[in-house]
mmCIF file of all heavy atoms in Angstrom:
data_model
loop_
_atom_site.group_PDB
_atom_site.id
_atom_site.type_symbol
_atom_site.label_atom_id
_atom_site.label_comp_id
_atom_site.label_asym_id
_atom_site.label_seq_id
_atom_site.Cartn_x
_atom_site.Cartn_y
_atom_site.Cartn_z
ATOM 1 N N ALA G 91 -8.970 -3.437 -15.918
ATOM 2 C CA ALA G 91 -8.308 -4.670 -16.372
ATOM 3 C C ALA G 91 -7.587 -5.341 -15.226
ATOM 4 O O ALA G 91 -7.590 -6.563 -15.094
ATOM 5 C CB ALA G 91 -7.323 -4.342 -17.497
ATOM 6 N N GLY G 146 0.120 -25.841 0.549
ATOM 7 C CA GLY G 146 0.860 -24.947 -0.334
ATOM 8 C C GLY G 146 2.127 -24.429 0.316
ATOM 9 O O GLY G 146 2.568 -24.941 1.364
ATOM 10 N N VAL G 171 22.502 6.465 6.668
ATOM 11 C CA VAL G 171 23.886 6.838 6.969
ATOM 12 C C VAL G 171 24.460 7.697 5.839
ATOM 13 O O VAL G 171 25.128 8.709 6.078
ATOM 14 C CB VAL G 171 24.749 5.576 7.175
ATOM 15 C CG1 VAL G 171 26.231 5.937 7.226
ATOM 16 C CG2 VAL G 171 24.355 4.867 8.468
ATOM 17 N N ASP G 183 19.366 17.625 0.076
ATOM 18 C CA ASP G 183 18.085 17.742 -0.625
ATOM 19 C C ASP G 183 18.149 17.089 -2.002
ATOM 20 O O ASP G 183 17.202 16.413 -2.424
ATOM 21 C CB ASP G 183 17.701 19.215 -0.770
ATOM 22 C CG ASP G 183 17.259 19.832 0.548
ATOM 23 O OD1 ASP G 183 17.113 19.078 1.524
ATOM 24 O OD2 ASP G 183 17.069 21.061 0.589
ATOM 25 N N ASP G 209 14.629 7.923 18.710
ATOM 26 C CA ASP G 209 15.820 7.833 19.546
ATOM 27 C C ASP G 209 16.420 9.220 19.780
ATOM 28 O O ASP G 209 16.832 9.556 20.895
ATOM 29 C CB ASP G 209 16.849 6.923 18.879
ATOM 30 C CG ASP G 209 18.143 6.822 19.683
ATOM 31 O OD1 ASP G 209 18.116 6.223 20.766
ATOM 32 O OD2 ASP G 209 19.166 7.346 19.215
ATOM 33 N N LEU G 222 18.630 15.470 15.549
ATOM 34 C CA LEU G 222 17.171 15.445 15.405
ATOM 35 C C LEU G 222 16.730 16.417 14.317
ATOM 36 O O LEU G 222 15.850 16.096 13.506
ATOM 37 C CB LEU G 222 16.497 15.792 16.728
ATOM 38 C CG LEU G 222 14.961 15.871 16.688
ATOM 39 C CD1 LEU G 222 14.357 14.559 16.231
ATOM 40 C CD2 LEU G 222 14.421 16.263 18.064
ATOM 41 N N LEU G 225 17.412 14.861 10.930
ATOM 42 C CA LEU G 225 16.472 13.769 10.675
ATOM 43 C C LEU G 225 15.090 14.307 10.320
ATOM 44 O O LEU G 225 14.424 13.800 9.407
ATOM 45 C CB LEU G 225 16.388 12.852 11.898
ATOM 46 C CG LEU G 225 17.634 12.007 12.187
ATOM 47 C CD1 LEU G 225 17.524 11.364 13.560
ATOM 48 C CD2 LEU G 225 17.839 10.934 11.117
ATOM 49 N N ILE G 228 15.169 15.560 6.785
ATOM 50 C CA ILE G 228 15.106 14.452 5.826
ATOM 51 C C ILE G 228 13.671 13.953 5.706
ATOM 52 O O ILE G 228 13.150 13.752 4.594
ATOM 53 C CB ILE G 228 16.035 13.299 6.253
ATOM 54 C CG1 ILE G 228 17.503 13.737 6.157
ATOM 55 C CG2 ILE G 228 15.796 12.060 5.393
ATOM 56 C CD1 ILE G 228 18.481 12.722 6.719
ATOM 57 N N THR G 230 10.837 15.541 6.345
ATOM 58 C CA THR G 230 9.990 16.527 5.676
ATOM 59 C C THR G 230 10.218 16.528 4.171
ATOM 60 O O THR G 230 9.270 16.549 3.374
ATOM 61 C CB THR G 230 10.259 17.933 6.240
ATOM 62 O OG1 THR G 230 9.977 17.941 7.646
ATOM 63 C CG2 THR G 230 9.380 18.980 5.553
ATOM 64 N N ARG G 231 11.481 16.477 3.752
ATOM 65 C CA ARG G 231 11.781 16.508 2.323
ATOM 66 C C ARG G 231 11.300 15.233 1.623
ATOM 67 O O ARG G 231 10.783 15.303 0.492
ATOM 68 C CB ARG G 231 13.296 16.684 2.116
ATOM 69 C CG ARG G 231 13.800 18.061 2.480
ATOM 70 C CD ARG G 231 13.240 19.128 1.535
ATOM 71 N NE ARG G 231 13.760 18.941 0.194
ATOM 72 C CZ ARG G 231 13.007 18.628 -0.858
ATOM 73 N NH1 ARG G 231 11.703 18.478 -0.710
ATOM 74 N NH2 ARG G 231 13.548 18.466 -2.048
ATOM 75 N N LEU G 236 7.276 12.641 -1.913
ATOM 76 C CA LEU G 236 6.267 11.593 -2.066
ATOM 77 C C LEU G 236 4.917 12.191 -2.444
ATOM 78 O O LEU G 236 4.169 11.624 -3.235
ATOM 79 C CB LEU G 236 6.148 10.778 -0.781
ATOM 80 C CG LEU G 236 7.308 9.846 -0.460
ATOM 81 C CD1 LEU G 236 7.124 9.231 0.914
ATOM 82 C CD2 LEU G 236 7.452 8.764 -1.518
ATOM 83 N N GLY G 290 -14.870 21.801 -9.276
ATOM 84 C CA GLY G 290 -14.901 23.034 -8.490
ATOM 85 C C GLY G 290 -13.879 23.118 -7.380
ATOM 86 O O GLY G 290 -13.560 24.201 -6.907
ATOM 87 N N VAL G 293 -9.721 19.081 -4.450
ATOM 88 C CA VAL G 293 -10.019 17.677 -4.121
ATOM 89 C C VAL G 293 -11.518 17.570 -3.893
ATOM 90 O O VAL G 293 -12.077 18.317 -3.074
ATOM 91 C CB VAL G 293 -9.257 17.221 -2.862
ATOM 92 C CG1 VAL G 293 -9.671 15.801 -2.479
ATOM 93 C CG2 VAL G 293 -7.749 17.298 -3.087
ATOM 94 N N ASP G 297 -13.560 11.936 -3.716
ATOM 95 C CA ASP G 297 -12.170 11.501 -3.913
ATOM 96 C C ASP G 297 -11.452 11.414 -2.566
ATOM 97 O O ASP G 297 -10.656 10.496 -2.323
ATOM 98 C CB ASP G 297 -11.425 12.480 -4.824
ATOM 99 C CG ASP G 297 -11.766 12.281 -6.290
ATOM 100 O OD1 ASP G 297 -12.403 11.265 -6.617
ATOM 101 O OD2 ASP G 297 -11.400 13.151 -7.105
ATOM 102 N N ILE G 315 3.797 -8.756 8.978
ATOM 103 C CA ILE G 315 5.243 -8.980 8.884
ATOM 104 C C ILE G 315 5.893 -8.471 10.159
ATOM 105 O O ILE G 315 5.783 -7.296 10.500
ATOM 106 C CB ILE G 315 5.829 -8.255 7.662
ATOM 107 C CG1 ILE G 315 5.204 -8.824 6.385
ATOM 108 C CG2 ILE G 315 7.338 -8.389 7.626
ATOM 109 C CD1 ILE G 315 5.705 -8.177 5.120
ATOM 110 N N PHE G 346 -20.090 23.680 2.338
ATOM 111 C CA PHE G 346 -19.928 24.129 0.963
ATOM 112 C C PHE G 346 -20.693 23.329 -0.094
ATOM 113 O O PHE G 346 -20.684 23.701 -1.268
ATOM 114 C CB PHE G 346 -18.440 24.124 0.593
ATOM 115 C CG PHE G 346 -17.607 25.059 1.413
ATOM 116 C CD1 PHE G 346 -16.605 24.560 2.244
ATOM 117 C CD2 PHE G 346 -17.828 26.429 1.383
ATOM 118 C CE1 PHE G 346 -15.830 25.422 3.006
ATOM 119 C CE2 PHE G 346 -17.056 27.295 2.146
ATOM 120 C CZ PHE G 346 -16.060 26.789 2.961
#
Side-chain angles (χ1 to χ4, degrees):
V171 169
D183 287 352
D209 178 69
L222 177 59
L225 290 169
I228 293 173
T230 300
R231 289 294 294 116
L236 288 173
V293 175
D297 282 349
I315 298 180
F346 298 116

